[in-house]
Amino acid sequence: AVFLWVGVNDAIVMESPYYLTGREAGGNEVFAADDEFAYYYRRTLDHLSPRAGRVFAVGPLFCGEDLRDPLNSRIAGLAAIVRGLCRDYPNLGFVDMREEFFADEAAARALPDPFGLRFTVDGVHLSSTGADIVARVLLRHIARLDW
């Protein structure tokens, strides 16, 4: 089994003002279009699918924890692309990690820090609370595998 999870900072590098490395020296975006994202994601799935018994494609998480933020709307669109690609492969499953975070009972009880963050230390990188949620979700999917 393989879990494929593209980090949100890699998926949307060109859209965040915090990641200026997402541009080439000439100012061109390195990874801008949805069709380019889909193309490279599909190539990765084409490589993994025949080599793994089961592949779980995990949708990108979030940048900041306010899902109403426009950047998170963009990330939701990328997750929709991943979900759609999964339909083309019989051994692929989609894991909507964003949904899992906000449906998780422990996450619902997590109190935000002074900056409003519950799951990350900086809006992108997981805190111990966030990592615990990911571990529970991945273990649940592993437990369902037919070994």
Side-chain angles (χ1 to χ4, degrees), residues 3-77:
F3 287 88
L4 175 60
W5 193 5
V6 175
V8 71
N9 51 345
D10 296 317
I12 54 110
V13 68
M14 74 295 172
E15 300 206 22
S16 173
Y18 306 109
Y19 295 101
L20 300 178
T21 58
R23 299 204 178 268
E24 296 175 335
N28 296 327
E29 293 177 345
V30 174
F31 200 64
D34 287 356
D35 58 346
E36 188 175 4
F37 175 83
Y39 171 79
Y40 285 108
Y41 205 97
R42 180 179 296 281
R43 286 190 60 192
T44 303
L45 294 176
D46 287 345
H47 179 79
L48 289 174
S49 180
R51 291 167 174 81
R54 185 82 165 130
V55 177
F56 295 97
V58 181
L61 199 48
F62 42 71
C63 188
E65 296 180 22
D66 180 0
L67 296 183
R68 298 167 298 182
D69 182 274
L71 189 54
N72 282 319
S73 294
R74 170 79 172 115
I75 294 166

Side-chain angles (χ1 to χ4, degrees), residues 67-146:
L67 296 183
R68 298 167 298 182
D69 182 274
L71 189 54
N72 282 319
S73 294
R74 170 79 172 115
I75 294 166
L78 295 176
I81 289 170
V82 172
R83 182 189 303 264
L85 290 172
C86 288
R87 294 184 188 116
D88 296 339
Y89 301 83
N91 64 330
L92 255 74
F94 178 73
V95 179
D96 189 344
M97 194 64 77
R98 288 165 59 115
E99 181 179 294
E100 296 280 358
F101 261 70
F102 293 97
D104 187 281
E105 290 181 29
R109 292 190 304 269
L111 297 175
D113 74 1
F115 300 104
L117 300 174
R118 293 185 291 171
F119 313 120
T120 65
V121 295
D122 59 2
V124 176
H125 301 95
L126 295 175
S127 65
S128 59
T129 300
D132 285 345
I133 295 167
V134 169
R136 283 195 300 274
V137 171
L138 298 183
L139 284 172
R140 188 176 72 233
H141 286 282
I142 291 168
R144 292 180 186 157
L145 291 172
D146 181 18

